[in-house]
Amino acid sequence: MENQVMKEVLNEKNFAALDQVIEANKDRKGALMPILHEAQNIFGALPIEVQTVISEKLDISLAEIYGVVTFYSQFSLVPKGEFVIGLCLGTACYVKGAQNILDRLETELGIKVGETSKDGKFTLEATRCLGCCGLAPVMVINEKVYGRLEPGQITGILKQYK
Amino acid sequence: MEKVTLTINGIQVQAPKDYTILKAAREIGIHIPTLCYLEGVNEIGACRVCVVEVERARALLTACTTPVAEGMVVKTNSKRVREARKMVVELILANHNRECLVCDRNGSCELQKLTEELGIKEVSYEGVKRTPTIDDFSPSIVRDTSKCILCGRCIATCKNVQEIGILEFTNRGFNTEVSPAFNSSMTEMPCIYCGQCVNACPVAALREKSSIDDVWEAIDNPDLHVIVQSAPAVRAALGECFDNPIGTNVTGKMATALHMMGFDKVFDTNFAADLTILEEGTELLGRIKNGGVLPMITSCSPGWINFAELNYPELLPHLSSCKSPHQMFGAIMKTHYAKMNNIDPKKIYVVSVMPCTAKKYECKREEMGRDGYLDVDTVITTRELGKMIKQASIDFNELAEGKFDEYYGDYSGAAVIFGATGGVMEAALRTVADVLTGKDLEAIEYKAVRGEERIREAEVQIGDLTVKAAVTHSAAGARKIMEMIKAGEADYHFIEIMGCDGGCVNGGGQPHVSATNRVGIDIRLERAKALYSEDESLEIRKSHKNPSITRLYEEFLGEPNSHVAHEVLHTHYAGRDKYNLKK
């Protein structure tokens, strides 16, 4: 795990919490999914250090766990940034110019969709329809919604989070 | 089992209730093509090639997973079925690297054969191809996703037969890939290089790392004295590369072919198998007498050694310190043979023909050599030897029965059976019994240790000693035995463990047998039979009765487990990290 954030997260306290989660779930059927969910809550991501522990304790191969983690989009191998930007690329937003907004976000943040900025601040994600097409093009930063976006607004919005 | 009556292609058939349509059809000689299906290992209906039309069913159903039912009416070759199969295979081909002419599996590819059988003349779906991953970091196995068709046969084999689970479907949708965790190299995962995934692969997505060019180059180099040896299991399977039935013994033809290929000497790993018995048998008796670590476990199988080092480092003292037979052989060549024939060991090039991909890794281990050279320079698989014989334009089936060169090509029947699970144990018992009783015993067939059962046990009364023995095969069996040892439940003196299911005859370097040709035949048993019958046909059937082995001890080693023997023929092991990912 290249970034500093992850190093800090991989601490004794969190691994102890993971042990508890595994202990509480390991005898139930289909224990892997709930454990992965909890583990992601604890560590913010599911890096190899976390997956190997789960693999050993559940006696499930690392490959199988990795297969599950990469199948579901809610699991992440790298920690998400402090602020997760979800830009809608649903049909309505797309027609209303979401691609231009995306291009602008990528340039401003210096990362591509699915990546997290080096300082651990921002993660950029493209989402499906957010269900508020009247506001197209729309994006959410953590819980806050920004609608009827113009590329020119992006710099100003991001500034509030930097 | 209760039977049901169904109709397949207008023929009424009775089949047990738990049969699939595929199985019921096969019993009456109706062939349904398959691709991802591997009997008993992978029966998941993933590829959709085996679809059939079932009356009153809305969609086509996969024959390999759909159970038969009373009154079912099945059509296996209707127009609708044929077209669906064609489309399925065309879609697979659309994302397949179709450089078939220069592919490792050209001629033995199951996808190629299916394409021909279905009459596919063009691929109408030309689309985007996945960016391929080629992992050729290991000395044993190459993984090439440009060839992968996502059938899952390797995954099921590694997970369910070996119970290791290195490979898995990763990512999702179009980006799905069969890969180790974190898309890492197999060298970074606890892969034992057994090559069972290679045997399971219908295409060339998993294949051995070829050393054919190295061997030809060595043969062509006038400065090198090139010696070849071949493992017991090779002779039981090589014939399959030339369309002989499974279980044909081709010892004599193989010897002739090796001579014709231009090797300077054609010897036999069997010689070293006999040597192994003397070294390992003596080590065992020593441990029993002197209160050494018991049970002692065989160390012939490098897949098993890898498994032990990766998973049970704390139990490594149980392993015999003997090198595997072909490594012993290489070591003898570069020491004794070199001296006797006045050849600089650095100019001797030893090639091992093995049924194994893990041997390719083993021969590169740094313990396996001295003074800056290796005991064995190159390992090729049975498959690679088959290819080389073809490249040399040798008409294999027409060859006369030849012989191995004398001395280091001499062997007993005990050595031949090393290739089958239980063989090393039986060979050892033959010698240990004679040594302990001081007699030349006539009852030499220990049938309790033969067969395919996962764990077999035998108690053999030899003089005053009841020798307790156990035999297991496959990494799954190895894990069971190791857990027993850990729990203090393994009350044995001696355990034979082979890394592959069935032992070396079913090793990861043996000729490919298509899933279709595996039906109704146990290739492990058929190949093993070829070895047991060669054993029966031989006059000398005990390792210590091989006069060339006696000669080797007189000329060079002194006695079993002597200082020289330890120096040349024995090795050591070390625990390794399971995961070697660069973080």
Side-chain angles (χ1 to χ4, degrees), chain B residues 220-327:
Chain B
D220 275 348
N221 184 342
D223 293 335
L224 290 178
H225 183 77
V226 188
I227 298 169
V228 68
Q229 55 165 325
S230 58
V234 175
R235 66 210 67 200
L238 179 65
E240 293 163 30
C241 297
F242 306 95
D243 301 324
N244 290 287
I246 293 168
T248 307
N249 181 312
V250 294
T251 307
K253 286 187 163 49
M254 177 175 73
T256 307
L258 291 170
H259 283 294
M260 288 170 75
M261 284 164 69
F263 289 104
D264 293 301
K265 285 288 174 187
V266 177
F267 292 136
D268 200 340
T269 312
N270 279 356
F271 171 81
D274 280 332
L275 186 57
T276 302
I277 288 303
L278 290 189
E279 289 297 323
E280 207 161 76
T282 308
E283 187 186 355
L284 175 67
L285 290 173
R287 287 194 192 201
I288 293 174
K289 226 182 283 169
N290 307 324
V293 178
L294 292 172
M296 188 179 95
I297 312 175
T298 58
S299 54
C300 305
S301 161
W304 146 241
I305 298 295
N306 289 339
F307 182 79
E309 289 187 324
L310 287 162
N311 297 284
Y312 296 94
E314 72 281 13
L315 298 181
L316 292 175
H318 286 273
L319 270 59
S320 159
S321 64
C322 288
K323 285 180 184 174
S324 71
H326 89 114
Q327 293 293 158

Side-chain angles (χ1 to χ4, degrees), chain B residues 272-430:
Chain B
D274 280 332
L275 186 57
T276 302
I277 288 303
L278 290 189
E279 289 297 323
E280 207 161 76
T282 308
E283 187 186 355
L284 175 67
L285 290 173
R287 287 194 192 201
I288 293 174
K289 226 182 283 169
N290 307 324
V293 178
L294 292 172
M296 188 179 95
I297 312 175
T298 58
S299 54
C300 305
S301 161
W304 146 241
I305 298 295
N306 289 339
F307 182 79
E309 289 187 324
L310 287 162
N311 297 284
Y312 296 94
E314 72 281 13
L315 298 181
L316 292 175
H318 286 273
L319 270 59
S320 159
S321 64
C322 288
K323 285 180 184 174
S324 71
H326 89 114
Q327 293 293 158
M328 282 197 185
F329 186 90
I332 292 290
M333 289 300 106
K334 302 229 172 155
T335 52
H336 176 61
Y337 176 86
K339 202 168 155 210
M340 295 285 281
N341 294 280
N342 209 11
I343 307 173
D344 176 0
K346 291 202 165 63
K347 297 214 161 140
I348 295 180
Y349 191 91
V350 178
V351 177
S352 300
V353 186
M354 295 285 127
C356 185
T357 44
K359 294 272 181 204
K360 284 176 181 275
Y361 167 83
E362 182 192 34
C363 81
K364 306 287 183 216
R365 290 176 70 125
E366 52 182 65
E367 312 88 84
M368 298 295 174
R370 73 213 67 250
D371 306 334
Y373 56 82
L374 297 165
D375 292 339
V376 169
D377 295 276
T378 300
V379 169
I380 55 170
T381 61
T382 310
R383 290 188 291 265
E384 287 175 278
L385 176 60
K387 284 181 183 172
M388 290 183 77
I389 292 171
K390 285 178 190 165
Q391 287 167 20
S393 305
I394 293 169
D395 191 352
F396 189 81
N397 291 332
E398 298 305 317
L399 294 180
E401 303 289 315
K403 279 197 163 33
F404 295 102
D405 289 318
E406 59 158 22
Y407 194 175
Y408 311 98
D410 302 336
Y411 58 89
S412 77
V416 183
I417 59 174
F418 261 57
T421 166
V424 176
M425 178 59 71
E426 182 165 344
L429 289 173
R430 288 180 190 178

Side-chain angles (χ1 to χ4, degrees), chain A residues 48 56 61 63 66-67 70-71, chain B residues 165-166 168 171-172 182 578 581:
Chain A
I48 184 165
E56 290 290 327
S61 77
Y66 178 81
T70 53
F71 183 84
Chain B
I166 298 297
E168 191 54 73
N171 299 310
R172 177 177 184 155
F182 295 86
K578 268 175 96 167
L581 280 171

Side-chain angles (χ1 to χ4, degrees), chain A residues 81-98:
Chain A
E82 190 182 341
F83 303 105
V84 179
I85 304 170
L87 177 75
C88 179
L89 285 184
T91 313
C93 287
Y94 193 80
V95 170
K96 285 280 199 177

Side-chain angles (χ1 to χ4, degrees), chain A residues 49-65:
Chain A
E49 293 86 348
V50 174
Q51 289 191 36
T52 44
V53 170
I54 299 173
S55 163
E56 290 290 327
K57 301 223 159 138
L58 291 186
D59 200 16
I60 295 176
S61 77
L62 187 64
E64 189 169 339
I65 293 174

